[in-house]
Amino acid sequence: MRALARLVARADGRGGTVLVELHGETPLLLRQTPTDGGVATVHLVGGAAGPLAGDDLRLEIEVGPGAAVRVHTVAASIALPGRPGAVSRMTVRAVVHAGATLHWLPEQLVAAAGCAHLAESRIELAAGAGLRWRDELVCGRYGESPGGAVVHTHVDYAGRPLLRQSLAVGPHAPGWAGPAVLGGASATGSLLVVDGSRPVEPATVDGTVARLPLAGGPATLWTATAPDAHTLRAHLAR
């Protein structure tokens, strides 16, 4: 299955945001929900199971100058096996203009046994743009070993690299569960905050949660591991 969804937001000139383009194809269905404090809110609704191996799904987001958008999903995304030898792909491309803010806050990606999944995000931020970008990965459903999943995150700020991050888990990623990667944890995630109004904070490690200020912009990256999705969310929500 191939599907493309697109979201374009513009400032309305009255302190709010209007969605000038909002469309999708099964299983990427976009639904606008009530605005929260001038921030346009959209939920991504899965119109079918998956992604299944062989699916190629793409989401494009553009947030115009001065606009603000929050994107959620209504449930976790479960990557499932499909055609032998096939890979499922979910690609998100986001452009955030000066003075705009994007909050990308989906539910977890679950790498079910036997899956082969690639999740790739590319975000372009203009100088003065804001971002909250959360990624969470759960390695397998309850009681099962995970399939193969690769998560790439690529962020530029003002035309320069800000973040390049990749994680691979599953049977074709040697050492992924070892002490150098997840240390036996079954859930891992990160939260990238780009906000010029926040003070710069030093790098810290508190248990399985780490905070790292980034050199390429007014940005901080939190990363965490946990035994389950609920604990992971609590770590990142702090």
Side-chain angles (χ1 to χ4, degrees):
M1 180 181 294
R2 294 177 179 270
L4 171 65
R6 182 166 170 78
L7 185 165
V8 179
R10 297 283 186 263
D12 64 7
R14 303 185 301 275
T17 298
V18 60
L19 301 178
V20 298
E21 190 173 347
L22 187 70
H23 72 260
E25 301 169 335
T26 301
L28 297 180
L29 303 177
L30 299 175
R31 299 290 184 264
Q32 185 172 7
T33 50
T35 297
D36 181 7
V39 181
T41 304
V42 174
H43 279 76
L44 179 61
V45 180
L52 303 174
D55 289 352
D56 187 357
L57 311 177
R58 292 180 294 151
L59 172 60
E60 298 175 353
I61 301 171
E62 182 182 353
V63 188
V69 174
R70 183 178 290 111
V71 181
H72 298 274
T73 57
V74 298
S77 176
I78 302 178
L80 297 168
R83 301 196 312 268
V87 175
S88 57
R89 290 178 170 83
M90 176 65 188
T91 304
V92 181
R93 298 283 189 270
V95 176
V96 187
H97 293 269
T101 302
L102 172 62
H103 305 263
W104 172 258
L105 302 169
E107 297 304 307
Q108 299 85 4
L109 168 64
V110 180
C115 77
H117 184 69
L118 172 62
E120 183 178 29
S121 303
R122 291 183 174 268
I123 306 101
E124 298 178 17
L125 303 172
L131 181 71
R132 304 287 187 280
W133 191 275
R134 185 177 70 205
D135 279 317
E136 296 173 316
L137 174 65
V138 178
C139 302
R141 293 170 292 191
Y142 181 76
E144 72 177 9
S145 298
V150 179
V151 181
H152 294 308
T153 307
H154 179 295
V155 185
D156 287 345
Y157 182 82
R160 300 181 62 183
L162 178 66
L163 177 66
R164 303 289 187 270
Q165 181 168 271
S166 295
L167 173 66
V169 304
H172 302 297
W176 69 270
V181 189
L182 297 190
S186 61
T188 184
S190 64
L191 174 66
L192 173 63
V193 177
V194 181
D195 185 347
S197 68
R198 291 176 63 95
V200 176
E201 298 176 293
T204 62
V205 177
D206 180 8
T208 62
V209 182
R211 180 181 68 205
L212 179 66
L214 302 184
T220 302
L221 178 69
W222 279 266
T223 60
T225 59
D228 55 67
H230 177 76
T231 305
L232 176 65
R233 178 65 58 83
H235 286 335
L236 295 178
R238 292 192 306 181

